[in-house]
């Protein structure tokens, strides 16, 4: 029986010891509360004037009875206040100046008070089980009073405690309630027992509270308190920089091309520039080198669109361009209407805005008229009826409109011989439209449809493309791999009683050209036709009578042919479905000049001493980019989704975290995998080498940070320990400059500090970490960067943050397709910033290159990579090219550029 009872007594004994320790802590807390209450009552007696009932002989308070400042307080600071906004209430938590005689912040803390009370681990509210107060330095009584809110808090929030648990609220709240007697303000209990965790407003409100002691600042995200201690070197928040940074960004290069899911996206201008689009940017690219040779050249960018560009058309003069965008929403959820911009490719100035409010969902296809020098523009939108409309380009007025079809419309074009003839094609149809301009009076024009008759030929499922021949016939490419020749049906035109309006179009010839769908047709200057196949990836040149003259095959890793454009001489430009732009000819083959990812991007890291960066994402491709040559150095198929990456300080290897808990270490020269390790079975969100390269930290969605010792060359790794204490998944982490400590953020807004060299221990006294210097700053929560958070934020609005190596600016990637640039440190609420658009999806990551000369940003769903040039204050660099050069201040105190 004794042997059986021994193991059972062990846990019971440990539980008793734990309860005993907790009782001791609570006894010390009660002593401190009693002392605070006694001090509050004493001060009330000192400050209340004698009443008529008081004995006149009773001595008054001495004039010089001010006690000494308790140990642990920083030097006295004057209060400093920041303006109050409608959603962000700001109370400065600065230590008061010497006040009335006898004013004191309470007695010194008891011995051992540097460790937190039980259940409180983070500066955020994630792992706290007992209220809002975060433990401060020894001997400090916090006076914070965050306002109440009524919405439902997130999980693990202490505001969800039941009434029976409220008596166990943290010491700091009780102390604040006592001290508030001095300020004549309502305590937690006097406000109806509302938890001070909560703040008014919706679940997306952010409130910053600066308490009255100069110790910390506190902000709220979704009702969760996030306390950040002020560094000792900052005596007043007014000392911190204000205003936008002197540095600016200029879009230098855009990697990628939208060929995966769009058409009408590749043309050559009169200047020789190639025009295409990705995200919200229309790129004008000037190739360098000869046909089939290396890339180079340069880029210019039209950035007038507010959402993703869907289609392009080039005016017959080869200078003007029309680009149509999809519908979207702004950061406040308000819809952005689709529109067509007509702009000058030489000046990048917008000439006309067509159809604002007239289109639904987006602009699917458009074309300029040819016979009358581009006087008209035809547009098909993405509504259910796919409205077909004709517009006067010079006036921007609509001349005619009609419902085209409920099926998808993939292409539209004017006949080059007669502007009254318009052709559309798409799902199972070819339509021939006769347009009567109505003497140019807006709205008086009419459109009548003639449906193409397939007759004995099989009707294909899709007809993605067509081209006009010089003799007036039309060639269409379809999903069956056939090229069909269309002409007016002679039998119909000779039938008595049928006029021209009754004529129909029929197929006069058919040629089987490709295996699988034909995505592109291009009429060359010599009268021959090029066709691009999908499944067979072939590019074929056809002579008269659809006789094959020459062909070439596109390599498989570039994907199928999406678009074809004719360059100078025999040069061809080919866009592919894997978002690559190829240059070459049929004889010598093709080589890539523009490449990009094909799916959502998340992983980004920059080389420690070269202008190179590495990206990875949901397309399972790991790509190393040369930022000087603007080219892909190499790519590797990871077989799994890559979500994060980081270079070793030597640059010899790079660590990549995957969505399965695996992480790889690859040699950057040979691309060989030198380590393949799995930690848990959940996705990894961050990997980061220490500045000396001796450790590797891996943040996982299983709430843990795994620490590995790393060899000098980075090739070998061994488990050193685990950092356990977060109550949600890890989102960001940074190493201290000495390589011994880590600061980390989590999904429930915690800020934790870890002593890695001391055994991966959680530092419970966060006040001691206020002056620690960090080698990098990518954590989105912290005193030095809390000013980047906008009003109304729900805690997920900022995806990535990066401080420059010179510690002058902070770049921020947000959920609203914007890149922001702030001054560093950014520790003032509602800090102003410079805002840069161009991405068509949430921006997932930003990183500065090793010398801060460039900033790299990743688009999420748009799969784009933007390389921005950082222009210093007073530099001679050219300002960003935008359609409108008039900056405007947004309500969030940000400058849109």
């Amino acid at each position: 029986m004794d042997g059986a009872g021994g193991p059972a007594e062990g846990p019971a004994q440990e539980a008793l010891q734990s309860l005993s320790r907790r009782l001791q802590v609570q006894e010390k807390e009660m002593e401190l509360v009693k002392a605070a209450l006694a001090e509050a009552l004493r001060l009330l007696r000192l400050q209340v004037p004698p009443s008529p009932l008081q004995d006149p002989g009773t001595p008054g308070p001495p004039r010089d009875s001010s006690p000494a400042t308790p140990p642990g307080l920083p030097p006295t600071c004057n209060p400093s206040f920041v303006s109050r906004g409608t959603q962000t209430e700001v109370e400065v938590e600065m230590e008061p100046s010497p006040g009335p005689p006898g004013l004191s912040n309470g007695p010194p803390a008891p011995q051992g008070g540097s460790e937190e009370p039980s259940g409180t681990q983070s500066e955020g509210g994630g792992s706290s089980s007992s209220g809002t107060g975060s433990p401060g330095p020894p001997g400090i009584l916090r006076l914070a009073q965050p306002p109440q809110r009524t919405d439902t808090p997130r999980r693990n929030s202490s505001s969800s405690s039941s009434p029976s648990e409220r008596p166990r609220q943290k010491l700091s709240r009780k102390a604040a309630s006592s001290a508030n007697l001095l300020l004549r303000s309502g305590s937690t209990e006097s406000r109806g027992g509302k938890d001070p965790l909560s703040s008014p407003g919706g679940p997306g409100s952010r409130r910053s509270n600066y308490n009255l002691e100069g110790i910390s600042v506190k902000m709220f995200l979704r009702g969760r308190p996030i306390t950040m201690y002020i560094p000792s070197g900052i005596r007043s928040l007014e000392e911190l920089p204000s205003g936008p940074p002197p540095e600016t960004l200029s879009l230098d290069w855009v990697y990628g091309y939208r060929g995966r899911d769009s058409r009408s996206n590749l043309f050559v201008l009169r200047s020789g520039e190639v025009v295409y689009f990705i995200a919200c940017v229309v790129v004008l690219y000037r190739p360098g080198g000869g046909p089939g040779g290396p890339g180079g050249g340069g880029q210019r960018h039209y950035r007038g669109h507010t959402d993703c560009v869907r289609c392009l058309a080039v005016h017959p003069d080869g200078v003007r361009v029309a680009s149509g965008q999809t519908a979207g929403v702004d950061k406040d959820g308000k819809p952005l209407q689709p529109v067509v911009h007509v702009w000058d490719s030489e000046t990048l100035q917008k000439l006309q805005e067509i159809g604002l409010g007239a289109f639904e969902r987006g602009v699917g296809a458009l074309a300029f008229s040819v016979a009358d020098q581009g006087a008209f523009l035809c547009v098909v939108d993405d509504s259910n009826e796919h409205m077909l409309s004709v517009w006067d380009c010079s006036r921007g007025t609509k001349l005619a409109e009609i419902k085209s079809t409920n099926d998808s419309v993939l292409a539209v074009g004017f006949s080059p011989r007669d502007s009254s003839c318009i052709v559309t094609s798409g799902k199972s149809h070819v339509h021939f439209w006769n347009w009567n301009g109505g003497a140019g009076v807006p709205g008086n024009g009419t459109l009548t449809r003639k449906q193409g008759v397939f007759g004995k030929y099989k009707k294909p499922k899709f007809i993605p493309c067509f081209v006009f021949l010089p003799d007036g016939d039309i060639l269409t490419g379809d999903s069956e791999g056939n090229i069909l020749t269309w002409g007016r049906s002679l039998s119909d035109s000779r039938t008595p009683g049928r006029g021209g309006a009754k004529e129909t179009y029929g197929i006069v010839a058919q040629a089987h050209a490709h295996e699988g769908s034909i995505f592109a047709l291009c009429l060359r200057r010599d009268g021959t036709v090029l066709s691009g196949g999908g499944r067979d990836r072939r590019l074929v040149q056809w002579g008269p009578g659809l006789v094959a003259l020459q062909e070439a095959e596109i390599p498989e890793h570039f994907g199928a042919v999406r678009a074809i454009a004719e360059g100078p001489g025999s040069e061809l430009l080919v866009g592919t479905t894997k978002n690559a732009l190829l240059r070459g000819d049929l004889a010598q083959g093709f080589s890539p000049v523009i490449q990009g990812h094909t799916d959502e991007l998340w992983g980004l890291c920059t080389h420690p001493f070269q202008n190179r960066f590495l990206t990875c994402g949901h397309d399972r491709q790991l790509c190393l980019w040369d930022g000087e040559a603007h080219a892909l150095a190499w790519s590797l198929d990871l077989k799994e989704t890559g979500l994060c990456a980081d270079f070793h300080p030597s640059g010899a290897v790079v660590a990549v975290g995957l969505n399965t808990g695996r992480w790889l270490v690859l040699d950057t020269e040979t691309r060989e995998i030198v380590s393949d390790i799995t930690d848990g079975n959940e996705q990894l969100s961050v990997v980061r080498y220490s500045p000396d390269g001796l450790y590797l930290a891996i943040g996982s969605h299983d709430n843990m940070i795994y620490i590995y010792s790393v060899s000098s060359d980075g090739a070998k790794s061994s488990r050193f320990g685990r950092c356990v204490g977060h109550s949600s998944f890890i989102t960001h982490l940074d190493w201290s400059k000495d390589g011994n400590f880590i600061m980390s953020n989590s999904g429930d807004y915690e800020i934790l500090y870890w002593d890695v060299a001391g055994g991966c221990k959680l530092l419970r006294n966060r006040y001691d970490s206020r002056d620690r210097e960090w080698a990098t700053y990518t954590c989105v929560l912290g005193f030095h960067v809390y000013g980047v958070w906008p009003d109304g934020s729900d805690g997920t609005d900022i995806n990535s943050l990066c401080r420059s190596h010179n510690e002058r600016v902070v770049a921020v990637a947000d959920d609203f397709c914007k890149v922001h640039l702030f001054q560093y440190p950014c520790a003032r609420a509602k800090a102003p910033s410079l805002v840069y658009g161009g991405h068509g999806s949430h921006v997932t990551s930003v990183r500065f290159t090793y010398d801060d000369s460039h900033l790299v940003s990743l688009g999420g769903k748009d799969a784009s990579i933007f390389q921005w040039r950082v222009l210093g204050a007073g530099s001679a660099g050219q300002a960003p090219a935008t359609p409108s050069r008039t900056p405007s201040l947004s309500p969030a105190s940000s400058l849109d550029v």
Side-chain angles (χ1 to χ4, degrees):
M1 294 295 291
D2 294 340
E9 293 177 358
Q13 186 65 24
E14 292 178 0
L16 288 174
Q17 293 176 356
S18 176
L19 289 174
S20 177
R21 288 192 298 268
R22 185 170 179 180
L23 181 60
Q24 293 176 2
V25 171
Q26 290 180 345
E27 289 176 351
K28 293 179 180 179
E29 293 176 357
M30 292 303 299
E31 291 294 330
L32 190 53
V33 171
K34 292 178 180 178
L37 289 171
E39 181 68 13
L41 294 174
R42 185 180 69 83
L43 291 175
L44 284 174
R45 288 195 299 270
L46 291 176
Q47 292 181 347
V48 175
S51 66
L53 299 178
Q54 183 177 0
D55 187 356
T58 305
R63 292 184 176 272
D64 54 352
S65 59
S66 177
T69 302
L73 281 174
T76 302
C77 302
N78 293 326
S80 174
F81 296 92
V82 181
S83 62
R84 297 172 181 262
T86 57
Q87 297 185 26
T88 303
E89 179 177 323
V90 180
E91 302 172 1
V92 181
E93 185 182 312
M94 305 300 290
E95 186 179 20
S97 302
L103 182 61
S104 171
N105 281 317
Q111 295 296 324
S114 63
E115 186 165 339
E116 297 185 17
S118 174
T120 304
Q121 296 181 349
S122 67
E123 293 190 20
S127 62
S128 173
S129 61
S130 55
T132 67
S134 295
I140 299 302
L141 292 182
R142 297 176 53 84
L143 305 181
Q145 289 191 42
Q148 68 184 28
R149 60 174 269 170
T150 59
D151 61 312
T152 304
R154 296 180 63 173
R155 67 182 182 90
N156 295 330
S157 172
S158 57
S159 61
S160 60
S161 57
S162 64
S164 62
E165 294 173 339
R166 288 176 183 152
R168 296 197 295 269
Q169 296 296 327
K170 195 181 295 183
L171 162 67
S172 56
R173 187 191 302 176
K174 298 178 181 178
S177 301
S178 304
N180 281 332
L181 294 173
L182 303 177
L183 305 177
R184 304 294 189 191
S185 67
S187 65
T188 303
E189 290 76 14
S190 68
R191 291 200 301 264
K194 296 292 185 182
D195 196 329
L197 264 180
S198 305
S199 59
S205 63
R206 182 208 70 171
R207 302 178 65 87
S208 300
N209 298 290
Y210 307 76
N211 294 340
L212 301 175
E213 300 174 1
I215 303 303
S216 65
V217 296
K218 179 181 289 187
M219 63 179 287
F220 286 76
L221 292 175
R222 297 182 67 93
R224 308 296 294 277
I226 303 165
T227 303
M228 297 154 285
Y229 291 108
I230 302 174
S232 59
I234 299 177
R235 297 180 59 86
S236 170
L237 295 183
E238 296 299 328
E239 300 175 358
L240 300 176
S242 61
E247 291 81 1
T248 59
L249 299 179
S250 173
L251 186 56
D252 181 38
W253 199 266
V254 176
Y255 299 84
Y257 152 83
R258 186 167 179 173
R260 176 187 54 177
D261 60 353
S262 68
R263 297 168 177 81
S264 301
N265 57 11
L266 181 63
F267 299 91
V268 178
L269 302 175
R270 187 180 67 182
S271 63
E273 292 175 300
V274 181
V275 58
Y276 60 94
F277 58 82
I278 182 171
C280 304
V281 176
V282 183
V283 181
L284 294 88
Y285 167 64
R286 181 179 296 279
Q299 284 186 355
R300 297 188 299 136
H301 311 95
Y302 177 75
R303 295 169 54 198
H305 287 283
T306 57
D307 215 294
C308 288
V309 181
R310 290 289 309 279
C311 52
L312 285 178
V314 175
H315 194 273
D317 63 11
V319 175
R320 283 175 281 179
V321 179
S323 49
Q325 75 174 50
T326 187
V329 294
D330 63 12
K331 64 179 297 183
D332 298 322
K334 297 179 181 178
L336 297 175
Q337 295 176 325
V339 69
V340 174
H341 288 187
V342 179
W343 46 279
D344 190 310
S345 63
E346 294 178 348
T347 64
L348 298 179
Q349 294 296 314
K350 182 170 64 175
L351 305 176
Q352 193 69 255
E353 191 175 80
I354 292 178
L356 184 64
F359 308 129
E360 291 185 22
R361 298 181 184 169
V363 178
L366 46 78
F368 282 103
S369 60
V370 178
D372 46 23
Q373 291 77 46
F376 306 108
L377 182 72
C378 183
V379 182
V380 180
D381 72 5
D382 285 333
S383 64
N384 291 337
E385 296 83 11
H386 296 95
M387 300 298 295
L388 173 67
S389 55
V390 180
W391 299 78
D392 186 318
C393 291
S394 60
R395 301 177 181 177
T397 56
K398 182 167 57 178
L399 303 178
E401 183 179 43
I402 193 172
K403 297 178 181 179
S404 64
T405 175
N406 288 333
D407 294 324
S408 300
V409 177
L410 304 179
V412 63
F414 282 92
S415 169
R417 305 174 69 183
D418 182 7
S419 293
S420 65
C421 177
I422 300 173
V423 179
T424 61
S425 70
K427 183 178 181 181
S428 301
H429 76 269
V430 177
H431 291 164
F432 302 88
W433 302 84
N434 185 49
W435 169 53
N436 182 354
V441 178
N444 281 4
T446 60
L447 286 160
T448 56
R449 184 180 70 182
K450 308 169 189 177
Q451 188 163 344
V453 178
F454 287 89
K456 63 181 181 180
Y457 298 96
K458 178 183 177 182
K459 180 183 286 190
K461 187 173 182 180
F462 289 99
I463 303 174
C465 55
F466 63 84
V467 66
F468 290 93
L469 296 179
D471 61 3
D473 286 343
I474 300 170
L475 298 183
T476 61
D478 61 39
S479 55
E480 302 295 325
N482 296 321
I483 296 178
L484 305 178
T485 304
W486 295 77
R488 283 184 172 88
S489 174
L490 297 179
S491 59
D492 284 350
S493 62
R494 295 174 181 173
T495 301
R498 294 194 177 186
K502 296 287 188 177
E503 290 180 352
T504 61
Y505 286 77
I507 300 170
V508 298
Q510 172 181 292
H512 186 70
H514 293 271
E515 296 298 326
S517 182
I518 299 175
F519 287 153
L521 291 173
C522 174
L523 178 66
R524 304 196 70 174
R525 287 184 291 267
D526 60 7
T528 60
V529 175
L530 291 170
S531 63
R535 188 185 307 167
D536 59 12
R537 307 185 313 281
R538 290 166 56 238
L539 194 65
V540 184
Q541 183 178 10
W542 303 89
L546 291 180
V547 177
L549 302 177
Q550 197 175 6
E551 69 176 63
E553 184 175 334
I554 303 301
E556 183 178 2
H557 60 276
F558 292 129
V561 177
R562 175 63 76 186
I564 308 169
E566 190 176 20
S570 63
E571 181 179 290
L572 298 174
L573 283 302
V574 178
T576 73
T577 55
K578 289 192 176 179
N579 293 356
L581 185 60
L582 310 181
R583 179 174 175 235
D585 57 34
L586 295 175
Q588 300 180 16
F590 296 86
S591 61
V593 291
I594 298 292
Q595 291 178 266
H597 285 270
T598 59
D599 208 341
E600 188 170 356
L601 293 176
W602 280 96
L604 170 66
C605 63
T606 53
H607 197 279
F609 51 84
Q610 295 179 3
N611 191 5
R612 291 187 163 200
F613 57 93
L614 187 140
T615 58
C616 56
H618 289 198
D619 62 359
R620 304 182 178 184
Q621 295 296 311
L622 181 70
C623 298
L624 180 66
W625 304 90
D626 188 328
E628 294 182 357
H630 302 132
L632 178 66
W634 55 257
S635 64
L636 180 71
D637 188 358
L638 294 173
K639 309 297 183 184
E640 296 177 13
T641 298
L643 298 176
C644 51
D646 193 40
F647 279 100
H648 187 269
S650 68
V653 297
V654 63
V656 182
L658 308 179
N659 66 332
T660 57
R662 286 179 62 212
W663 56 275
L664 312 174
V665 178
L666 299 97
D667 188 298
T668 56
E669 293 296 328
T670 66
R671 291 174 257 175
E672 294 180 356
I673 297 177
V674 296
S675 292
D676 185 344
I677 301 175
T678 300
D679 284 309
N681 56 5
E682 297 196 41
Q683 70 182 50
L684 305 180
S685 51
V686 56
V687 293
R688 185 86 69 237
Y689 282 101
S690 61
D692 54 14
L694 298 181
Y695 295 106
L696 173 63
I698 301 164
S700 172
H701 270 227
D702 64 6
N703 305 357
M704 297 183 187
I705 302 174
Y706 299 90
I707 307 296
Y708 281 79
S709 297
V710 180
S711 60
S712 58
D713 60 358
K716 297 181 180 179
S717 305
S718 59
R719 174 75 73 86
F720 178 80
R722 293 186 307 173
C723 297
V724 181
H726 272 293
S727 57
S728 186
F729 56 90
I730 313 301
T731 58
H732 308 83
L733 65 85
D734 291 291
W735 286 91
S736 61
K737 290 186 176 180
D738 59 14
N740 294 328
F741 300 91
I742 283 178
M743 169 176 58
S744 58
N745 293 167
S746 63
D748 57 353
Y749 324 129
E750 291 176 317
I751 309 174
L752 298 188
Y753 300 94
W754 311 87
D755 182 357
V756 175
C760 302
K761 297 178 180 178
L762 173 64
L763 298 177
R764 294 184 176 276
N765 187 2
R766 298 175 309 283
Y767 180 76
D768 291 341
S769 298
R770 71 193 188 282
D771 292 328
R772 189 160 286 122
E773 295 184 344
W774 303 101
T776 59
Y777 214 118
T778 61
C779 286
V780 298
L781 297 174
F783 172 78
H784 294 84
V785 297
Y786 79 88
V788 307
W789 286 90
D791 282 343
S793 175
D794 65 354
T796 63
D797 294 335
I798 293 179
N799 298 315
S800 177
L801 176 149
C802 183
R803 181 191 66 191
S804 61
H805 296 86
N806 60 20
E807 301 187 10
R808 295 184 56 180
V809 293
V810 171
V812 170
D814 71 13
D815 247 0
F816 311 109
C817 315
K818 305 297 183 184
V819 173
H820 300 252
L821 204 63
F822 294 87
Q823 286 204 70
Y824 180 85
C826 185
R828 305 184 72 169
K830 299 178 67 176
S833 68
L834 299 176
V835 186
Y836 298 87
H839 284 290
S841 177
H842 53 291
V843 187
T844 56
S845 187
V846 285
R847 290 292 183 270
F848 286 95
T849 55
Y850 77 101
D851 58 356
D852 293 331
S853 63
H854 292 84
L855 175 75
V856 181
S857 61
L858 300 185
K861 291 292 187 181
D862 63 27
S864 64
I865 305 171
F866 286 10
Q867 180 174 311
W868 307 83
R869 186 179 299 277
V870 181
L871 305 177
S875 68
Q878 184 179 1
T882 58
S884 174
R885 300 302 309 142
T886 305
S888 59
L889 285 174
S890 71
S893 302
S894 298
L895 191 64
D896 295 326
V897 295

